[in-house]
Amino acid sequence: MLLLGTAIVFGFLGSLHCLGMCAPLIWAVPQQEKTRTTWWQNRFLYNTGRALTYAALGAVFGLLGESLSLAGWQQKISIVTGILILIFLLSSKGVVPNQFQFKPLQKMIGVVRKKIGLMLQSSGSSAHFKLGLFNGFLPCGLVYMALLASISMGSILGGALYMLVFGLGTFPMMLAAAFFGSQLKTIKPVFFTRLVPTFVAIIAILLIIRGLGLGVPYLSPATVGEVEMTLCIAP
């Protein structure tokens, strides 16, 4: 599916955009491993935890998409989510925001940050995995937009899969940030920072086109529910 294919690129470009926000936390993760194998294992566990949290959030948004699909609103939801993403981009002047001001959300984020602070004082594989799980709840405009896109998958499994693929797309940059450490502090991916909003806008436009049901295979399939039926009547 074309929409699912955008998730991994979304995640990869997003990880470049969010390097300044996520990398400091990665560098703060305890590094007391005795072997290089254990080091890599813990970093994979940390990133796997993040991806699983994204998948769980995607399942919740996918449930919403499934409910709306059963009501026959799948095409409309695709258009609405595309428009919402464009509105977020325009309201932030073409820059993907790291967070949105919403008091209940801010309260939850405060709890998550306290948990992360405790995890940073621990070591071991389970601590790295749990740290990744909590990290997945930290505010990120790109994650929010990916969640909006996941609604258009129209099912719990589809939403979870979209966000899991999105999480996997962030692996290369996050692992590189952990491996190279402070050497990446001086890197400012300006090109990718400018490219991310453009790609997000393309995804939004694809969602809108998909919802229009123009009858274009894979890109904009005909409206769900409108099926031609031929009645065969014996002479």
Side-chain angles (χ1 to χ4, degrees):
M1 180 183 287
L2 178 63
L3 181 58
L4 185 60
T6 64
I8 192 164
V9 183
F10 204 162
F12 178 71
L13 292 179
S15 65
L16 291 170
H17 172 78
C18 297
L19 180 62
M21 177 182 175
C22 299
L25 178 59
I26 296 172
W27 296 328
V29 174
Q31 301 192 37
Q32 303 173 353
E33 294 86 357
K34 295 182 179 180
T35 66
R36 178 58 66 179
T37 300
T38 303
W39 187 92
W40 280 110
Q41 172 186 296
N42 288 342
R43 297 309 169 282
F44 270 104
L45 284 171
Y46 167 78
N47 285 287
T48 298
R50 285 190 311 103
L52 289 178
T53 294
Y54 293 153
L57 293 173
V60 174
F61 279 74
L63 175 60
L64 173 61
E66 184 170 312
S67 300
L68 294 171
S69 294
L70 291 174
W73 294 350
Q74 184 174 0
Q75 306 295 115
K76 294 178 181 178
I77 288 302
S78 185
I79 295 174
V80 170
T81 53
I83 291 174
L84 285 175
I85 291 174
L86 287 177
I87 290 174
F88 284 147
L89 282 177
L90 291 174
S91 64
S92 58
K93 297 180 180 179
V95 178
V96 179
N98 286 329
Q99 57 184 318
F100 303 108
Q101 297 300 321
F102 184 55
K103 289 184 177 180
L105 180 62
Q106 296 301 318
K107 186 175 181 180
M108 184 196 76
I109 290 170
V111 174
V112 169
R113 283 175 174 162
K114 288 182 180 179
K115 292 289 185 182
I116 288 177
L118 294 174
M119 292 297 170
L120 288 174
Q121 299 173 21
S122 305
S123 59
S125 298
S126 61
H128 283 79
F129 179 69
K130 292 176 183 177
L131 182 60
L133 288 174
F134 283 108
N135 179 219
F137 289 106
L138 287 178
C140 176
L142 281 163
V143 173
Y144 299 155
M145 292 183 186
L147 285 170
L148 281 176
S150 71
I151 296 175
S152 297
M153 295 296 289
S155 68
I156 297 175
L157 180 60
L161 183 59
Y162 187 93
M163 291 307 296
L164 178 62
V165 172
F166 169 83
L168 292 176
T170 68
F171 270 44
M173 192 63 216
M174 294 300 99
L175 288 173
F179 184 76
F180 292 106
S182 59
Q183 296 178 37
L184 288 181
K185 291 182 180 180
T186 58
I187 297 178
K188 296 181 180 180
V190 178
F191 172 74
F192 289 104
T193 300
R194 294 174 179 174
L195 181 62
V196 170
T198 301
F199 181 74
V200 172
I202 291 174
I203 291 179
I205 293 171
L206 285 175
L207 286 171
I208 295 171
I209 294 175
R210 178 175 179 268
L212 292 175
L214 301 175
V216 180
Y218 303 107
L219 178 61
S220 184
T223 304
V224 176
E226 293 185 1
V227 183
E228 285 190 17
M229 299 182 65
T230 302
L231 297 178
C232 296
I233 302 176

